[in-house]
Amino acid sequence: MARNGNGKTPERKTINLALQGGGSHGAFTWGVLDALLEDGRIDIDGISGTSSGAMNAVALAQGFAEARRDGKSADEARVQARRSLRRLWDGVGVMGIFSAGVPIPGAQAFLNLFSQWFSPYQANPLGINPLRQLIQRDIDFDLLATHSDIQLFVSATNVRTGRGEVFTGEHLSVDVVMASACLPTAFKAVQIGDEHYWDGGYAGNPPIHPLIYRTDTSDVLLVQINPSVVPNLPADAMEIMDRVNEITFNAGLLAEMRSINFVHRLLEEGQFPPGKYKNVLLHHIDGGSVLAGFGAATKVRFDTAFVSGLFELGRAAGAQWLHQHFKDIGVRATVDMSLAPDQRVGRRPQAKPPKPARRTAAP
């Protein structure tokens, strides 16, 4: 067990993690996780993830499962988890590709234009995705099912029903992770059983509800990498499409946050019997605002230099969050609930207060 400078065992706290997806920008989340693991005071109960968030989730859990299998200590397990995450992202950097194998700046613009004329069933009929080989190489899903103490929840969108589905436990597989990251303009839908799936971001990016109902931990740290707010009005066709995608991939998350806030307020007002509902303490690292300046097109940029830069930004954000909010874990929520949907629509305009009487100067 790690000790601080006074020789005392540091206080430990347990959290859940909710990891958003967003292509190569998931390397920012990798940096956040690396900072949390290096700090050594955080235990992880459950992780929900979508797309690159799902990749980070299974890679982190892989390291812990390997350590448990080999009888290693908790400190050694965190080191192993950091190694597992780095192995995954180093592999991505070497490939230089993510969603469609176009390792050049401007790839997203090309893909958007190309997808208007050709579906992935025409352009990629064999469903080739190098990420599949990478996940198969690095992640042992049988080991996760038998040796992982971390509960994993990976979301994908059922094409037929349009509903999000969450996979966990023995139902996790390379197909599930590929489905969670399956952009329908780039890849054929991933078949799991009799159903077909697209990117989980359409239904929940990431889903928070399984962390509420399937774990015992109240604190949830959301690592968001899609911007909620952008500084400028999108003007050209590409900017408009990028912003539409960002809004779509944030919609499910914002709806869940609104529900959490609603229940939290009712609990504070004593409207629910004690113990009937979990009082979720939500925390937030806003990678979206940090990454907004890079632009949506860079989500398919996977060269090593770029990925490493995002990693360092994430490490800094993770360390800053720990410094500011470690004391708040288990005590209070620290998320800015202004991220929840604006509820001004439908409100009656409030009457303006009367203007104060004008004072006249004394003679």
Side-chain angles (χ1 to χ4, degrees):
M1 179 68 67
R3 296 181 180 274
N4 59 26
N6 297 323
K8 297 180 180 179
T9 301
E11 181 183 9
R12 306 189 58 77
K13 296 188 177 184
T14 303
I15 63 173
N16 289 320
L17 296 170
L19 308 181
Q20 198 171 54
S24 70
H25 291 186
F28 175 92
T29 304
W30 165 35
V32 170
L33 298 176
D34 192 76
L36 297 180
L37 292 167
E38 183 182 47
D39 181 82
R41 293 176 293 168
I42 297 292
D43 292 323
I44 302 168
D45 188 359
I47 310 176
S48 71
T50 299
S51 192
S52 59
M55 292 170 50
N56 278 318
V58 296
L60 183 150
Q62 174 73 22
F64 277 97
E66 290 173 351
R68 182 185 176 194
R69 177 197 61 195
D70 299 337
K72 294 183 177 180
S73 68
D75 288 338
E76 291 172 318
R78 286 188 287 274
V79 171
Q80 190 71 15
R82 295 176 68 194
R83 288 174 180 165
S84 180
L85 282 161
R86 177 167 291 280
R87 182 168 63 241
L88 174 68
W89 284 99
D90 282 350
V92 170
V94 169
M95 287 182 179
I97 54 177
F98 186 68
S99 61
V102 186
I104 56 175
Q108 187 63 53
F110 170 79
L111 291 175
N112 288 343
L113 179 64
F114 188 75
S115 64
Q116 294 178 19
W117 301 101
F118 298 97
S119 82
Y121 294 85
Q122 298 168 304
N124 187 12
L126 298 180
I128 297 173
N129 186 344
L131 270 181
R132 176 179 288 274
Q133 284 71 46
L134 192 62
I135 297 297
Q136 287 177 326
R137 183 199 72 180
D138 292 342
I139 309 300
D140 184 343
F141 289 95
D142 290 334
L143 182 67
L144 291 183
T146 57
H147 286 78
S148 178
D149 291 326
I150 298 173
Q151 300 183 74
L152 297 175
F153 307 97
V154 173
S155 66
T157 303
N158 187 307
V159 179
R160 182 178 61 83
T161 66
R163 300 180 62 179
E165 296 185 20
V166 176
F167 297 83
T168 188
E170 68 274 12
H171 298 292
L172 290 174
S173 66
V174 65
D175 285 333
V176 168
V177 176
M178 290 298 96
S180 185
C182 179
L183 290 175
T185 55
F187 297 108
K188 297 168 60 176
V190 177
Q191 183 172 357
I192 301 174
D194 296 330
E195 300 286 355
H196 292 79
Y197 296 86
W198 282 338
D199 195 297
Y202 293 110
N205 190 19
I208 299 178
H209 63 89
L211 299 174
I212 298 174
Y213 297 108
R214 300 287 297 275
T215 76
D216 296 326
T217 300
S218 296
D219 290 84
V220 177
L221 173 58
L222 165 66
V223 184
Q224 185 176 7
I225 55 177
N226 286 320
S228 295
V229 178
V230 294
N232 302 311
L233 178 69
D236 62 39
M238 194 59 59
E239 290 175 345
I240 292 171
M241 183 57 65
D242 288 340
R243 186 56 183 154
V244 167
N245 287 334
E246 288 170 349
I247 292 171
T248 300
F249 284 142
N250 275 336
L253 171 64
L254 295 178
E256 283 202 89
M257 291 179 69
R258 181 176 180 178
S259 298
I260 291 170
N261 188 41
F262 177 70
V263 172
H264 181 72
R265 286 191 288 108
L266 291 179
L267 287 169
E268 284 188 331
E269 296 168 1
Q271 299 296 318
F272 290 145
K276 185 174 182 180
Y277 293 93
K278 180 187 290 186
N279 185 20
V280 179
L281 303 179
L282 194 60
H283 312 278
H284 180 235
I285 293 179
D286 186 9
S289 62
V290 176
L291 302 173
F294 289 99
T298 61
K299 291 181 180 180
V300 293
R301 180 180 170 185
F302 274 78
D303 57 278
T304 300
F306 183 67
V307 167
S308 297
L310 297 181
F311 167 76
E312 293 299 336
L313 289 173
R315 271 187 58 85
Q320 182 181 20
W321 183 83
L322 282 167
H323 176 71
Q324 293 179 337
H325 295 301
F326 178 80
K327 63 182 181 299
D328 297 314
I329 299 174
V331 178
R332 67 184 186 94
T334 59
V335 73
D336 179 6
M337 289 310 298
S338 66
L339 291 167
D342 196 325
Q343 301 177 48
R344 290 179 296 179
V345 176
R347 287 182 179 173
R348 294 180 179 178
Q350 296 180 354
K352 294 183 179 179
K355 293 183 179 180
R358 179 178 294 177
R359 293 183 179 179
T360 57

